[in-house]
Amino acid sequence: RAKSDGRGVYRYFADDLTLAARERLQLENRLRRALVDEQLQLHFQPQIDIASGRVIGAEALLRWPDPVEGMIPPARFIPVAESTGLIDQLGAWVLRHACEQGQRWIEQGLPPLSMAVNVSPRQFHHIDLAHQVQQVLADTGFPAERLELELTEGALMEREAESLRMLERLRDMGVRVAIDDFGTGYSSFSYLKRFPLDVLKIDRSFITDIPRDIDDMEIAAAIIAMGHNLGVRVLAEGVETAEQLAFLGLKRCDSYQGFLLSPALPADEFAALLRDQPATLPCPQP
Ligand code: C2E
Ligand code: MG
Ligand code: MG
Ligand code: MG
């Protein structure tokens, strides 16, 4: 079959690959330029303490506004940056700008917030992350205890012994560590008791179909209970409805992020949301 209509099919296929490769290269070059030209932005999604209803943290999320394409989503360019190594510079930029912003908010008198920063697997293993963090904290003045690094299960399991040493160095500095997208990456829980962790972030895929999907409710409840038994806090990602929040509250989940309160916002809008907080959010009476 390949022989009879082979040539046409093959040529079509080859052109297709070339196009994909070319697009990737183009994307990488544009991303590199955007980084150098300071066109990338960080937006901040609030993290809410469920018991008090108060915003207690922010997750820094990369935004790449493109004049032609509009906002290019991180899901499209992070993997490219990861595979080409550009993530080293990108990650360093994110860490520095997130800590700068966190420190600015402290100086502006905003209530105490933690700042969560996503760390890619390559960033975790390829560079001396603890050293980089130390330097950024020293340069920006941002307190180590307020910084929370988000890692995936995959990144931690890649080189276990090395990961453990890195986590211990970060812990010694006072920096907190969260497992992002928890439940999607690795099938063994044994690493949970070996690694010094502070937060489990339940992946959005287990939250989205609550309360329709009973299995997801069971899984979310089990993650919360397990996290608490291990002495770590549990955050639910992607909370969009009041029903989901009520369920999580019932199960004593510690905190959440999601469109129910807010998507990621530019820094000034995030600060405005926090200033309005006493008026807009239910909070316990003193
Ligand atoms: P993530 O770290 O798990 O971040 C959560 C993602 O879920 C964000 O997507 C956020 O906008 C989205 N989200 C939050 N609440 C809701 C909700 O209620 N409903 C829905 N449908 N989505 C919600 P975003 O910003 O597009 O980022 C996607 C992923 O890209 C992130 O997933 C993270 O893995 C990666 N990423 C983003 N910024 C960075 C960065 O600075 N460094 C690295 N290494 N990765 C990043
Ligand atoms: Mg994250
Ligand atoms: Mg996540
Ligand atoms: Mg993710």
Side-chain angles (χ1 to χ4, degrees):
R1 192 171 180 269
K3 266 204 170 134
S4 57
D5 53 86
R7 261 186 62 165
V9 170
Y10 178 76
R11 256 202 30 229
Y12 179 77
F13 186 59
D15 284 352
D16 220 42
L17 276 186
T18 313
L19 185 66
R22 215 186 305 132
E23 273 175 2
R24 233 176 129 69
L25 192 67
Q26 243 171 38
L27 193 72
E28 194 211 341
N29 286 334
R30 275 165 58 207
L31 182 57
R32 198 179 292 279
R33 205 169 330 119
L35 183 62
V36 171
D37 295 349
E38 292 276 331
Q39 276 160 17
L40 299 177
Q41 302 169 4
L42 285 182
H43 282 192
F44 302 89
Q45 187 177 34
Q47 300 182 326
I48 302 98
D49 177 67
I50 293 179
S52 67
R54 300 191 72 81
V55 176
I56 52 166
E59 179 178 6
L61 292 160
L62 256 177
R63 294 292 177 261
W64 181 10
D66 182 83
V68 181
E69 284 189 59
M71 278 289 177
I72 303 175
R76 225 183 110 210
F77 65 84
I78 295 281
V80 174
E82 176 82 23
S83 70
T84 59
L86 187 58
I87 196 75
D88 294 355
Q89 287 135 273
L90 206 60
W93 185 91
V94 169
L95 183 65
R96 183 165 294 274
H97 279 73
C99 290
E100 275 173 6
Q101 186 58 62
Q103 183 58 25
R104 216 170 292 138
W105 281 335
I106 291 175
E107 284 158 14
Q108 289 168 4
L110 257 66
L113 294 169
S114 61
M115 178 65 77
V117 176
N118 292 284
V119 174
S120 84
R122 180 180 156 114
Q123 221 183 327
F124 187 63
H125 291 290
H126 186 76
I127 57 161
D128 188 344
L129 183 66
H131 179 75
Q132 186 181 70
V133 166
Q134 185 102 67
Q135 212 157 21
V136 167
L137 292 175
D139 291 348
T140 60
F142 192 63
E145 305 70 40
R146 300 265 191 101
L147 179 63
E148 191 168 290
L149 300 178
E150 296 193 0
L151 291 153
T152 57
E153 294 167 272
L156 290 177
M157 299 315 297
E158 216 172 277
R159 276 173 257 165
E160 248 192 277
E162 206 177 284
S163 296
L164 182 56
R165 267 197 307 279
M166 181 61 81
L167 289 186
E168 279 166 350
R169 283 173 67 201
L170 291 166
R171 163 64 63 94
D172 288 346
M173 290 163 51
V175 171
R176 299 193 301 217
V177 174
I179 304 296
D180 205 351
D181 307 335
F182 184 76
T184 60
Y186 197 72
S187 53
S188 163
F189 289 151
S190 61
Y191 76 93
L192 289 175
K193 61 178 186 197
R194 286 198 304 280
F195 288 166
L197 303 171
D198 299 280
V199 180
L200 295 182
K201 299 187 74 176
I202 308 175
D203 190 68
R204 176 159 61 89
S205 60
F206 300 115
I207 306 298
T208 305
D209 293 330
I210 292 177
R212 229 178 22 258
D213 189 317
I214 293 174
D215 294 338
D216 284 346
M217 292 168 83
E218 291 292 343
I219 291 168
I223 294 174
I224 295 165
M226 181 180 64
H228 289 168
N229 284 330
L230 291 166
V232 304
R233 280 174 296 113
V234 181
L235 177 146
E237 295 191 280
V239 175
E240 296 187 353
T241 72
E243 261 180 316
Q244 290 164 355
L245 180 58
F247 172 78
L248 293 163
L250 201 66
K251 297 298 173 187
R252 297 285 177 270
C253 188
D254 300 275
S255 53
Y256 78 95
Q257 282 175 245
F259 295 169
L260 178 62
L261 179 71
S262 172
L265 300 169
D268 54 337
E269 289 175 36
F270 184 97
L273 181 114
L274 245 81
R275 290 203 188 86
D276 293 344
Q277 183 167 242
T280 56
L281 291 176
C283 58
Q285 298 304 308

